[in-house]
Amino acid sequence: MLAVRFGVGRRDRVRSARLLRAYLLRMGPLYIKAGQVLGTQSGLLPRDAVEEFRTFFAELPPMRDRVLRRTLRRGLGRSPDEVFAAFDMRPVAAGSVAQVHRARLDNGETVAVKVVKAGVRGRLEASSTVLGALLAIVNVLPKVRGYDLPGHFRELRPLLTGQCDMAGEGARQQEVAANFCNHPFVRVPRVHEELSSRDVLVMDFVEGAPGHLPDEAGLPPNELAARMQDAFYCMVYFHGVFHVDPHPGNLVFAPGGLLVFLDFGLVGRLSEDDRWNLASFYYACIRKEWTTAVRRFTRAFAVRPERLSGSAYEEELGRILRRHFEEESSRWSTLAFLDDAIRVLGRHGSRITTAFSVLALSLLTGEGFIAKVDPDIDLWATTRRFTDRFAPYLNDGLRDRLQQQMAEAAPRSLALRKRAARRLVAPTHFDRFVLPSAFPLVVDRAYGSKLRDVDGNEYIDLGGGFGPHILGYAHPAVVAAIQDAAARGAVNAVGHPGEVRLAELIAEAFGPDHRGGTTPRTPRSDLEHRVLLANSGTEAVQVALRIARAYTGRQRVAKFEGHYHGFSDQGLVSSWFRYRGDPRAPEPVGNSAGMQDAVVAETLVLQYGERGSLDRIAAHADELACVIVEPMPSALADYDAEFLRALSDVCGKAGILVIYDEVVTGFRVAYGGVQHLVGTVPDLTCLGKIIGGGLPAGAVTGRADVVDTARTSGDPFHDVDGRAFAGGTMSGNSVTCAAGTAVLEQLRAWPDIYPGLRERTSWLVADLAARAADCGVPCQVRGRDSIFSITFDHATPSLVRDRLAGLDVTATLALAYHMRGHGVFLPELHTLLLSAAHSDADLEQVSEAFGKSVREMASAGFFSISRERLTGERL
């Protein structure tokens, strides 16, 4: 690029800036982008020069009328007079790649028509070729060779040259619009696909103040800047799909304090790994764990990280991190931090990855814009609040407030937790994996729908022990059955009538003669069902997978992303926390240290509800033993009946066994499971939870010829070669079987329980959603058939990974603790459950507690902007 020396006098500075601006204009759109970035950087260049570059946003020359008409005809396929009732030839905006016009449709609707400038594609290609060649020449210099500028530009080139494809831009615009569909103050114009093409993009016209006039936005500068930063970071942390070019020309301030984003020619993307690595890096910096932060920075940002080892690199980068994140955080600058960090990478033979260089450009441009709106903004303080809000841990301030409240309300519980820490590791509650509970509940007694902690506090329970207690706690029939079985000796490892009776009840419920469902059975179900008892849902899944491999003679297992099948290596693959690869064709990833790499790598990971998953199953049919699925995924609290039927058809034709994991949903959504509601018949079903009556239990039930693979053949040599071994000293013990039988007999004798739970769940879901909406809080409440969930998210994603990515974890944790203050126990970050013991009064109290809790949280700043208060007034 042309080197321009900015003089000391105002006249010299303006003249130099004008020379550079004119040069960039002559060089074409690729270079204009550089000028637009310069126009956002008040601290990078003298103020007079910055003002000159800001004209890039509003004063770029448009096409001549004759050229415009020719371009429109080509893009629309006919004359613009035939498409629009009116078309204004004067552009409302002209950028480096396209220009925008106002038009009116026949129905009276006003639209914006974005037209690619004639010749832009050729100039973009030519300038990128020249720039690539220049970078190759410059790369021979020893001082810049480590930055690998040619390689970096090769990766960026498709993003830059793809700006002139309006069809692609329209698709990106619709994707971002979907991500912000229910956001309280961010909007994206609707695309008119039927009128759009590669050369022309037609969208709703937006009235409002242009981005370079923030004083006309109708909000105080600090409020407006906070909204802008929140929107930018929401794209990065929540969605992983972000606007690369958030300069004033691409933003409109609409009435009511709305931010309307325009121009999605440049959209960056962060993969699941990118977001994970970015979050882990910031978290280490917040905790001032500099050695860890250096390692995570290298993993997140560096190309060829294997070159970056040794104390010299680690010490140098550590000093930079400490300076920017600790010493200079009050004067935070992404530009300064990245400039220093990139120099360190270059000196040690590496460079920043393309994904993060694009993110850096977005943040660089956005921060310059934000600082122009509010020069006094503390960027790091705002960033810290944002990262705290989306981190899976309570920030220090919130933790301190809750610690004081809990110390007053539950001192014995806190003391018992400290006592447990000396001897006990309890990953489910005291020491919950990845998402530790700051204040776990310590229960002294449970009865009906209530829990009483060791401090005497009583709560309405919405956890249900993660599923078993559908009748409520301490149901008289279950207590009596357990007492009788224990008095008879608590038999295990020998036969007894109780295990036969429990197996008969399960087989009757799931077999062809089941009594709990009315859906017609398919021909595959006319084989008698068998039942194999185990000690837990995890064991049931392990046994089912082994049976499937033995029965089919194949080794590979397919499962669905986000579906949890217990804590075995196979069950944990891509289940929680981490996801990887294309959302439509996920790659397997482990979620725990110590998992076997071979098990992870050989698992085929699918996406629930996606037609492409069925195609992938067919493509791998000759190697798949089975497909295991949560028919009603806990994370979604709903099921896709059409997809489940198609899954059965595809697998049936290929000889692949279908395994339903109904450990949670079995005997909860119906007397049987989800399969009874949708009319599907899997080959095997895994059960747990309810069939144990509150005691440890699991079972595999299914076609006799399949389950019999675990039955001895009578030939020891054949057993070893062709049968599946299933053990368990306590499997089918008399106490568990008695408790499970008591519950199933109660459910069978009381069929109205299921319609009642369905009706109450529906009421509660609707009422909670309405209370959140009344408070202006972005909240999604989903559920059916006694299972529901609450998440604070403005979008409504269909994929588990997107739903978890958008989850405001800190707010979700805080809700659980606020609800306790109103007498309701929510298990933090877990599916919520109703039982037959919950009364109408219980549900009314839950609803009241939720309404009070979200208002308290809104007042405390958890939800900075209310949907009902779009003028910037805080609750």
Side-chain angles (χ1 to χ4, degrees), residues 314-379:
E314 293 171 357
E315 290 174 5
E316 188 176 0
L317 182 58
R319 286 194 299 270
I320 288 174
L321 296 181
R322 283 192 296 272
R323 185 169 79 248
H324 286 280
F325 285 89
E326 187 173 36
E327 300 168 14
E328 298 183 5
S329 61
S330 62
R331 301 181 300 276
W332 175 258
S333 167
T334 299
L335 174 64
F337 163 62
L338 286 173
D339 183 58
D340 284 347
I342 289 170
R343 290 176 187 274
V344 172
L345 293 179
R347 281 195 292 270
H348 292 270
S350 186
R351 64 170 171 86
I352 193 171
T353 66
T354 299
F356 282 109
S357 65
V358 172
L359 174 61
L361 174 61
S362 175
L363 296 178
L364 179 63
T365 306
E367 284 182 5
F369 189 2
I370 292 167
K372 175 65 176 176
V373 172
D374 179 16
D376 298 324
I377 191 171
D378 184 341
L379 286 171

Side-chain angles (χ1 to χ4, degrees), residues 802-815:
D802 293 334
R803 183 177 178 198
L804 295 181
L807 178 64
D808 188 338
V809 177
T810 301
T812 305
L813 290 171
L815 174 67

Side-chain angles (χ1 to χ4, degrees), residues 148-224:
D148 186 23
L149 296 178
H152 207 24
F153 184 71
R154 278 195 301 273
E155 296 172 0
L156 284 171
R157 183 171 176 172
L159 179 71
L160 297 171
T161 58
Q163 299 173 75
C164 48
D165 177 8
M166 292 296 101
E169 178 171 338
R172 293 189 290 272
Q173 183 167 328
Q174 289 176 302
E175 182 179 7
V176 176
N179 289 338
F180 282 110
C181 62
N182 295 311
H183 197 278
F185 58 82
V186 175
R187 298 291 183 271
V188 176
R190 176 173 58 99
V191 172
H192 293 256
E193 287 186 86
E194 72 282 2
L195 299 177
S196 302
S197 67
R198 187 166 179 257
D199 294 310
V200 176
L201 178 61
V202 181
M203 69 195 88
D204 288 348
F205 192 90
V206 178
E207 300 285 356
H212 65 276
L213 297 175
D215 292 342
E216 299 182 13
L219 289 176
N222 63 330
E223 192 73 35
L224 180 60

Side-chain angles (χ1 to χ4, degrees), residues 71-93:
T71 305
L72 281 170
R73 178 179 287 276
R74 183 177 64 246
L76 295 170
R78 47 189 167 147
S79 168
D81 297 334
E82 300 177 54
V83 178
F84 305 108
F87 185 90
D88 190 346
M89 296 295 290
R90 295 170 300 174
V92 295

Side-chain angles (χ1 to χ4, degrees), residues 596-679:
Q596 290 183 301
D597 292 341
V599 172
V600 176
E602 282 302 305
T603 303
L604 179 66
V605 181
L606 309 168
Q607 200 61 265
Y608 185 84
E610 292 291 323
R611 176 72 206 187
S613 294
L614 305 179
D615 297 334
R616 295 181 70 208
I617 291 171
H620 294 274
D622 60 345
E623 57 189 15
L624 286 176
C626 62
V627 176
I628 186 168
V629 59
E630 284 186 82
M632 182 174 171
S634 299
L636 301 179
D638 203 353
Y639 55 78
D640 185 333
E642 183 179 351
F643 179 76
L644 292 171
R645 296 184 190 112
L647 176 66
S648 291
D649 291 341
V650 168
C651 292
K653 293 175 183 177
I656 301 168
L657 298 187
V658 176
I659 302 174
Y660 276 13
D661 181 344
E662 298 225 42
V663 171
V664 174
T665 55
F667 293 102
R668 173 163 287 280
V669 301
Y671 188 78
V674 174
Q675 56 197 269
H676 293 68
L677 302 180
V678 301

Side-chain angles (χ1 to χ4, degrees), residues 415-427 430-431:
L416 193 59
R417 181 185 182 180
K418 292 180 181 178
R419 176 181 161 194
R422 297 179 57 196
R423 297 287 187 268
L424 174 67
V425 177
F430 285 131
D431 307 296

Side-chain angles (χ1 to χ4, degrees), residues 768-813:
L768 296 183
R771 288 185 181 272
D774 288 344
C775 298
V777 171
C779 181
Q780 302 295 328
V781 187
R782 302 176 178 87
R784 59 176 301 159
D785 301 300
S786 82
I787 302 173
F788 68 106
S789 65
I790 303 169
T791 55
F792 295 107
D793 189 355
H794 55 264
T796 55
S798 60
L799 302 184
V800 173
R801 67 162 65 182
D802 293 334
R803 183 177 178 198
L804 295 181
L807 178 64
D808 188 338
V809 177
T810 301
T812 305
L813 290 171

